[in-house]
Amino acid sequence: MPKPEIVFVTGNANKLREVSMILGGDASPFTLVNEPLDLEELQGADLQEIALAKLQQAVHALGPGRPVFVEDTALSFDEFNGLPGAYIKWFIKSMGLAKVVKMLDSFENKGAYAITTIAYADSKGQLHVFQGKTHGTIVDSRGHTNFGWDSIFQPDESQNNETYAEMAKEDKNKISQRGRAFAQLKEYLYNTGI
Amino acid sequence: MPKPEIVFVTGNANKLREVSMILGGDASPFTLVNEPLDLEELQGADLQEIALAKLQQAVHALGPGRPVFVEDTALSFDEFNGLPGAYIKWFIKSMGLAKVVKMLDSFENKGAYAITTIAYADSKGQLHVFQGKTHGTIVDSRGHTNFGWDSIFQPDESQNNETYAEMAKEDKNKISQRGRAFAQLKEYLYNTGI
């Protein structure tokens, strides 16, 4: 019998690879299928609402009975009281990493929470939200710069003061907000089915 | 015959007062009616798309045949390549004015464009977009602080280096992005009807 499919809506190849790895790769009891749907994202302070609104569009686009999840990752500076948050992707895209770091120059506290929110609709259409958080510090870019803001985020739990971009993938996934959020989804899927 | 009604969707009493004044107040050939609908706002870099998406929800909520407009005002720092843009309201709300100014401390160029985008659906359901822009400088807060970021924006055209918050309302409306956008809507409405 072929493995059941679960859809991950993302247009980001790096996220797809990372999530596939976290969910167990080839050893997992289901097949991860990518659908790069173009989903609208709401403004708003509440990360769960943003993810659920995206999910509802995905469910609508894919039709009933297909298990599907979306994820959204926010970067919330301690001094900015939650912001840039979900908007961080627009800041990175518009300003580049160096200027995002520079925004914090005048603030002594460079702390930030990275937060991944997953919204998942199971095969019966029931909705579930999982969230993972990791605290760290915003630093000058170190390491590869091909995955969002990984090179300017140094997690507090990093053993050698490395940024995400400098860490081995497996080490990053153990402590990252995305790793933590998807570990919850994985546990749910492995225990409950899809 | 009673004047025809035109709906302005806003929950902001200051905006309502300002727009009513710009559109001609009691002397105008139509009555401005406020509907504080709760419209969702999309993320995205394109201000026209954000305004049109809001407008379409308003048209849907009010039903056909009712002329309605929405407005969205962005503040785009020169150094931030368009941002915070439409997200400025979230930054003001979360961080407060002083920290928004502080974000620019390390940048020599404190220039910014204020941009008001109006999306208008006429009584036949046709859509129109009007946009007004004003360039200025982000400064330490001066003047009243009860209307968004008016106290930290000093328009280049200000005669006495005043912020919006320090200017007389009539003087502000002559050079402000909102004044310019609504002057276009006013001209359209006065010439074409609603």
Side-chain angles (χ1 to χ4, degrees):
Chain A
M1 208 173 85
K3 294 181 189 178
E5 285 188 353
I6 183 166
V7 178
F8 179 25
V9 180
T10 184
N12 184 324
N14 281 315
K15 276 193 190 176
L16 183 64
R17 255 193 304 276
E18 191 167 290
V19 166
S20 175
M21 184 172 163
I22 298 169
L23 289 180
D26 293 339
S28 93
F30 43 79
T31 305
L32 194 63
V33 178
N34 176 234
E35 289 273 2
L37 299 176
D38 197 13
L39 305 179
E40 288 176 338
E41 296 188 292
L42 298 186
Q43 292 182 37
D46 190 281
L47 301 173
Q48 301 204 18
E49 268 178 47
I50 293 175
L52 283 168
K54 265 171 77 172
L55 177 64
Q56 274 154 350
Q57 294 171 66
V59 168
H60 189 257
L62 296 172
R66 289 190 75 185
V68 54
F69 62 86
V70 300
E71 74 103 68
D72 206 41
T73 294
L75 187 61
S76 300
F77 298 165
D78 294 346
E79 285 276 9
F80 285 23
N81 194 25
L83 291 171
Y87 309 137
I88 185 64
K89 54 187 170 295
W90 304 103
F91 279 78
I92 300 291
K93 200 173 157 187
S94 291
M95 301 169 63
L97 292 164
K99 284 190 172 181
V100 169
V101 175
K102 206 172 167 184
M103 281 201 299
L104 275 173
D105 267 5
S106 300
F107 296 90
E108 210 181 315
N109 178 357
K110 317 282 189 196
Y113 269 104
I115 306 168
T116 289
T117 308
I118 303 168
Y120 167 59
D122 64 27
S123 55
K124 298 183 202 79
Q126 275 203 299
L127 309 183
H128 311 265
V129 175
F130 305 96
Q131 206 164 52
K133 285 188 191 190
T134 300
H135 193 263
T137 306
I138 303 301
V139 298
D140 287 326
S141 181
R142 297 196 314 264
H144 70 77
T145 56
N146 58 13
F147 194 0
W149 39 263
D150 270 16
S151 68
I152 63 167
F153 186 79
Q154 179 181 312
D156 297 343
E157 294 156 88
S158 165
Q159 298 292 325
N160 311 303
N161 295 326
E162 290 170 323
T163 65
Y164 274 166
E166 294 174 309
M167 296 173 75
K169 269 283 175 196
E170 310 77 54
D171 295 334
K172 176 192 165 191
N173 290 345
K174 269 179 215 153
I175 62 162
S176 79
Q177 74 293 340
R178 189 172 290 113
R180 285 176 175 148
F182 278 99
Q184 294 170 53
L185 175 64
K186 183 181 176 185
E187 197 190 336
Y188 182 86
L189 294 174
Y190 277 57
N191 289 336
T192 318
I194 68 178
Chain B
M1 208 173 86
K3 293 181 189 178
E5 284 187 354
I6 182 166
V7 179
F8 178 25
V9 180
T10 184
N12 183 323
N14 281 315
K15 276 193 190 176
L16 183 64
R17 256 193 303 276
E18 190 167 290
V19 167
S20 175
M21 183 173 164
I22 298 168
L23 289 180
D26 292 339
S28 93
F30 43 79
T31 304
L32 195 63
V33 178
N34 176 234
E35 290 273 2
L37 300 176
D38 197 13
L39 305 179
E40 288 176 337
E41 296 188 291
L42 298 186
Q43 292 182 38
D46 189 282
L47 302 173
Q48 301 204 18
E49 268 178 48
I50 294 175
L52 283 168
K54 264 171 78 173
L55 177 64
Q56 274 154 350
Q57 294 171 66
V59 168
H60 189 257
L62 295 173
R66 289 190 75 185
V68 54
F69 62 86
V70 300
E71 74 102 67
D72 206 42
T73 293
L75 187 61
S76 300
F77 298 165
D78 294 346
E79 285 276 9
F80 285 22
N81 193 25
L83 291 171
Y87 309 137
I88 185 64
K89 54 188 169 295
W90 303 103
F91 279 78
I92 300 292
K93 200 173 157 186
S94 291
M95 302 169 63
L97 292 164
K99 284 190 173 182
V100 169
V101 175
K102 206 172 168 184
M103 281 201 299
L104 275 173
D105 267 6
S106 300
F107 296 90
E108 210 182 314
N109 178 357
K110 316 282 189 196
Y113 269 104
I115 306 169
T116 289
T117 308
I118 303 167
Y120 167 59
D122 64 28
S123 55
K124 298 183 202 78
Q126 275 202 301
L127 309 183
H128 312 264
V129 175
F130 306 96
Q131 206 164 51
K133 285 189 191 188
T134 299
H135 193 264
T137 306
I138 303 301
V139 297
D140 287 326
S141 181
R142 297 196 314 264
H144 70 78
T145 55
N146 58 13
F147 194 179
W149 39 263
D150 270 16
S151 68
I152 62 167
F153 186 79
Q154 179 181 311
D156 298 342
E157 294 156 87
S158 166
Q159 297 292 325
N160 311 304
N161 295 326
E162 290 170 323
T163 65
Y164 274 165
E166 294 174 309
M167 296 173 74
K169 269 282 176 196
E170 310 77 53
D171 295 334
K172 176 192 165 191
N173 290 345
K174 271 179 212 150
I175 62 163
S176 79
Q177 74 293 341
R178 190 172 290 112
R180 285 176 176 148
F182 278 99
Q184 294 169 53
L185 175 64
K186 183 182 177 185
E187 197 190 335
Y188 182 85
L189 294 174
Y190 277 57
N191 289 335
T192 318
I194 68 178

